[in-house]
Amino acid sequence: MKKLNYPFQKEDILDLSVGDMVLISGKLFTGRDAVHKRIHEGTKPPVDLKNQIIYHCGPVILEKKGKYEVKAAGPTTSIREEPYQWEVMRDYGIVGVIGKGGMGPKTLQGCKDYGCVYLHAIGGAAQVLAEKIKSVDNVYWRDLGSPEAIWELTVEDFPCVVTMDAHGNSLHEKVEGESGNALKGLL
Amino acid sequence: MPAKKKAIKKKATKKKVAKKATKKKVAKKKVAKKKVAKKKVAKKAAKKKVAKKATKKKATKKTTKKKVAKKVVKLNTDAELFDSILELIKITSTVIPDDVQKVILESLAREEKNTTAEYAMNIIKSNIEIAKRKIQPLCQDTGTIIFYVDVPKGYIQSDFVKICHKAVVKATKLGYLRQNSVDTLTGKNETMNIGPGHPSIHFHEHNKETIDIRLMLKGGGCENVGAQYAMPYNALEAGRDLKGVRKVILDAVQKAQGKGCGPGVLGVCIGGDRGSGYINSKEQLFRKLDDENKVSELRDLEKDIVETANKLGIGPMGFGGKTTLLGCKIGTLNRLPASYYVSVSYMCWAYRRQGVTLDKSLKIKKWLY
């Protein structure tokens, strides 16, 4: 089990490889479809994303007396951000992406070119992951709707598995290739 | 609805009824007085007329009384139905059904120790425990809300729809459901899960006096990896027979990888048209995981699909591992001679489905899973 602590450093990211189980502590920014589309269309993000991690997540957050309460916060499918993710790495210097389901060749190349890593959270594990969120510190772009807004979160020991590293390796590519070959033999 | 509020509401209705009753009493007295006055004038014809009027009035009074009584009963049953649907949504969103949990724990035991597969299954296990304990959604994507409602003959479906919508809004406000309904053209997500197609409610008339409500919450990730094949499917040389069907189902599993939050369960329909095929494939997901298909060929195919899929090495979340599928349920519909569809719906491990039978007062009598 490896640890990744805030502020995130490039060296720590380069140190990670596919298959590593990692516990993340520090700051995360949620960002999913609408956020990526808006950034892609030319709007600058409302926060400095340099050396930050983006979490593909549309949480259930209730507001009670001006305080935010996280009810559920698991990852959403990442592949939908495949057209945009590498640009956010290039233009805004993020060092990590958390999501589920993995991403494609553009993102893998982006990870290699700009020193970034893809961390797979456990899909559907909204309660385990919500418990790791210690505070909701801010919210941006609320106009996109609650699940699509950018939520600034502080997490502790947030569990992930590295499935795409900064050295061009993808667990998804590997499993897809191997299972494809296995299938041929089983049909 | 909290018990206090309900009590206040009931009291309020009682008061209203009481008020109406006193009004009527006053009216009765007035009529009586009029009768006396008219008697004094004492014309036979007039007497008869008054008598007629009186009986008429009596008759109308009786019907209004009945109407009021009916309204009160309806208000009460509406409140019961609302509470029952809300409870059903709460439990569906937060508690995994026993038959599913059993299979998940079996697959956890099967994974090799200290692998990412075991790590994933352990997190899934604790997620199930926390969601139940905290009464919070298993997954933040509380999915498409799909109701299947079996109703007695003559039941007014629009009554159900109205109350059901109210319960869905309340469940969203309470956080059992995420605000999850997007206007496709504007991209706005402003309603509380109410809109064209949301929630999805299917009615079916049955020969019983009771109402059965089944609910499935199906997340977007697993819905996206569903697939439909028009046979023959030449890319795999899959023909219009069960051998061909087997090929395309396994192809769907391989293409899904871990993207549908595996290990998952397949609902499959062979036949039908494009629409009915997909609907039936979802209906298969209402079957219990440990049930046995009555059609022996399909029973064998279901077993074969699970065993073969688990040899693909896709594993939990697509990390690699022994459990790729937890189950597979297959049904058939008739088809046109020209068509042969295989429709595959994928359900994630966070298999949220529940059901209830209501008693005559529309309270929950029995849980179905």
Side-chain angles (χ1 to χ4, degrees):
Chain A
M1 193 72 66
K2 288 189 175 177
K3 293 224 173 200
L4 192 60
N5 295 323
Y6 196 81
F8 307 120
Q9 311 284 345
K10 231 6 165 230
E11 303 84 68
D12 297 338
I13 297 296
L14 297 176
D15 211 28
L16 296 173
S17 40
V18 159
D20 284 347
M21 296 176 235
V22 182
L23 296 174
I24 304 170
S25 296
K27 206 177 270 303
L28 302 179
F29 292 94
T30 69
R32 48 179 292 172
D33 309 66
V35 167
H36 284 84
K37 186 165 181 283
R38 188 175 275 185
I39 293 175
H40 172 73
E41 284 166 354
T43 310
K44 272 200 167 182
V47 281
D48 184 5
L49 291 176
K50 191 157 173 55
N51 288 337
Q52 303 294 343
I53 294 180
I54 283 188
Y55 178 23
H56 295 158
C57 170
V60 180
I61 294 185
L62 294 185
E63 206 174 338
K64 271 188 188 165
K65 293 172 192 163
K67 264 197 144 186
Y68 295 116
E69 204 180 312
V70 183
K71 287 278 176 186
T76 189
T77 305
S78 300
I79 194 69
R80 295 192 303 269
E81 316 321 331
E82 176 67 5
Y84 321 119
Q85 202 67 72
W86 68 278
E87 285 180 348
V88 184
M89 294 174 186
R90 180 193 63 190
D91 299 341
Y92 300 105
I94 55 168
V95 290
V97 174
I98 303 174
K100 76 171 169 84
M103 300 186 73
K106 274 187 184 175
T107 306
L108 188 60
Q109 190 61 44
C111 284
K112 205 175 164 190
D113 291 346
Y114 309 110
C116 189
V117 70
Y118 179 83
L119 300 134
H120 199 301
I122 305 305
Q127 290 309 321
V128 167
L129 299 174
E131 281 205 338
K132 308 295 180 191
I133 297 171
K134 296 303 159 189
S135 63
V136 180
D137 305 326
N138 220 327
V139 57
Y140 309 89
W141 288 0
R142 195 78 198 265
D143 61 297
L144 297 174
S146 179
E148 294 277 354
I150 299 178
W151 295 92
E152 186 178 332
L153 312 169
T154 298
V155 299
E156 202 179 294
D157 290 338
F158 189 94
C160 291
V161 173
V162 177
T163 55
M164 293 160 71
D165 62 25
H167 313 291
N169 305 306
S170 164
L171 180 65
H172 305 288
E173 252 181 35
K174 183 173 165 263
V175 172
E176 193 163 4
E178 286 173 3
S179 61
N181 287 334
L183 181 64
K184 276 179 205 157
L186 292 165
L187 284 186
Chain B
M1 194 186 287
K4 261 195 185 171
K5 264 195 186 171
K6 235 199 293 178
I8 292 169
K9 246 200 173 175
K10 270 186 193 167
K11 263 193 187 170
T13 9
K14 265 188 192 167
K15 266 189 194 168
K16 269 187 197 168
V17 177
K19 262 191 191 170
K20 274 191 187 168
T22 17
K23 265 189 194 169
K24 266 182 216 157
K25 268 186 194 166
V26 176
K28 256 189 193 172
K29 271 184 192 168
K30 271 187 189 168
V31 175
K33 268 186 190 170
K34 267 185 196 169
K35 264 187 189 173
V36 178
K38 274 183 187 170
K39 259 186 194 171
K40 274 180 188 169
V41 181
K43 271 194 177 179
K44 269 189 183 178
K47 254 191 192 176
K48 267 182 196 171
K49 266 188 192 173
V50 174
K52 260 189 194 173
K53 264 190 192 172
T55 32
K56 254 191 190 174
K57 271 184 191 170
K58 266 187 192 170
T60 42
K61 254 181 248 159
K62 266 188 191 169
T63 47
T64 25
K65 254 189 194 172
K66 264 188 196 168
K67 268 186 194 168
V68 172
K70 260 192 185 173
K71 242 189 186 175
V72 173
V73 171
K74 194 164 179 314
L75 276 179
N76 287 341
T77 52
D78 281 1
E80 294 297 352
L81 182 60
F82 175 90
D83 288 349
S84 297
I85 298 174
L86 185 58
E87 183 69 11
L88 173 62
I89 296 171
K90 180 179 104 180
I91 298 300
T92 311
S93 172
T94 59
V95 183
I96 212 106
D98 290 345
D99 60 316
V100 181
Q101 180 159 3
K102 184 171 167 272
V103 182
I104 287 177
L105 293 179
E106 282 166 8
S107 76
L108 167 62
R110 217 172 24 237
E111 291 298 343
E112 271 173 51
K113 304 290 161 240
N114 303 318
T115 56
T116 48
E118 191 211 18
Y119 183 60
M121 291 310 295
N122 264 323
I123 290 178
I124 287 171
K125 185 185 166 214
S126 35
N127 195 73
I128 291 171
E129 289 161 5
I130 299 171
K132 190 175 177 181
R133 174 164 47 81
K134 288 189 162 179
I135 320 174
Q136 290 188 3
L138 279 153
C139 174
Q140 78 288 338
D141 184 359
T142 54
T144 306
I145 304 161
I146 309 171
F147 285 100
Y148 276 85
V149 193
D150 294 325
V151 294
K153 230 175 178 177
Y155 182 80
I156 300 166
Q157 297 178 0
S158 55
D159 283 357
F160 182 91
V161 172
K162 221 168 29 189
I163 306 290
C164 183
H165 281 193
K166 279 186 190 164
V168 165
V169 169
K170 184 73 181 174
T172 312
K173 282 182 184 160
L174 292 171
Y176 302 136
L177 299 173
R178 181 174 72 179
Q179 209 171 326
N180 225 16
S181 182
V182 177
D183 181 306
T184 297
L185 292 183
T186 64
K188 284 189 174 145
N189 181 357
E190 289 172 337
T191 68
M192 302 301 267
N193 285 314
I194 308 293
H198 284 170
S200 163
I201 309 176
H202 303 258
F203 287 100
H204 172 252
E205 190 180 285
H206 65 176
N207 275 333
K208 292 178 197 163
E209 287 295 306
T210 51
I211 299 176
D212 287 354
I213 313 172
R214 285 180 175 75
L215 171 62
M216 187 186 302
L217 301 174
K218 192 166 185 301
C222 67
E223 183 67 3
N224 285 344
V225 298
Q228 191 168 56
Y229 296 83
M231 311 292 272
Y233 184 69
N234 295 327
L236 291 174
E237 293 175 6
R240 293 179 153 198
D241 50 27
L242 290 185
K243 227 175 127 194
V245 170
R246 176 182 181 271
K247 283 185 179 177
V248 295
I249 296 174
L250 289 169
D251 183 60
V253 175
Q254 199 274 334
K255 283 197 175 122
Q257 292 290 302
K259 295 181 185 79
C261 285
V265 177
L266 300 185
V268 180
C269 173
I270 312 171
D273 59 37
R274 287 193 185 272
S276 64
Y278 263 133
I279 288 177
N280 187 272
S281 72
K282 288 206 173 72
E283 286 170 6
Q284 298 302 318
L285 295 170
F286 280 110
R287 287 170 50 194
K288 277 192 181 174
L289 285 184
D290 53 8
D291 78 349
E292 281 220 333
N293 202 316
K294 284 174 192 142
V295 184
S296 64
E297 302 102 290
L298 297 181
R299 184 170 63 230
D300 294 345
L301 184 59
E302 288 174 355
K303 216 176 145 216
D304 177 17
I305 294 286
V306 176
E307 280 172 12
T308 313
N310 287 341
K311 288 179 190 156
L312 293 175
I314 296 168
M317 295 295 128
F319 290 167
K322 290 183 177 167
T323 311
T324 298
L325 278 189
L326 298 169
C328 176
K329 299 290 165 188
I330 306 174
T332 60
L333 288 177
N334 277 16
R335 58 182 177 84
L336 297 182
S339 308
Y340 194 120
Y341 293 109
V342 179
S343 309
V344 182
S345 281
Y346 190 106
M347 180 55 116
C348 56
W349 70 260
Y351 194 140
R352 287 152 292 167
R353 66 126 151 77
Q354 248 314 337
V356 287
T357 297
L358 305 183
D359 64 14
K360 274 192 178 162
S361 63
L362 304 186
K363 280 183 190 155
I364 294 174
K365 185 175 155 192
K366 200 177 98 187
W367 291 88
L368 298 175
Y369 297 97

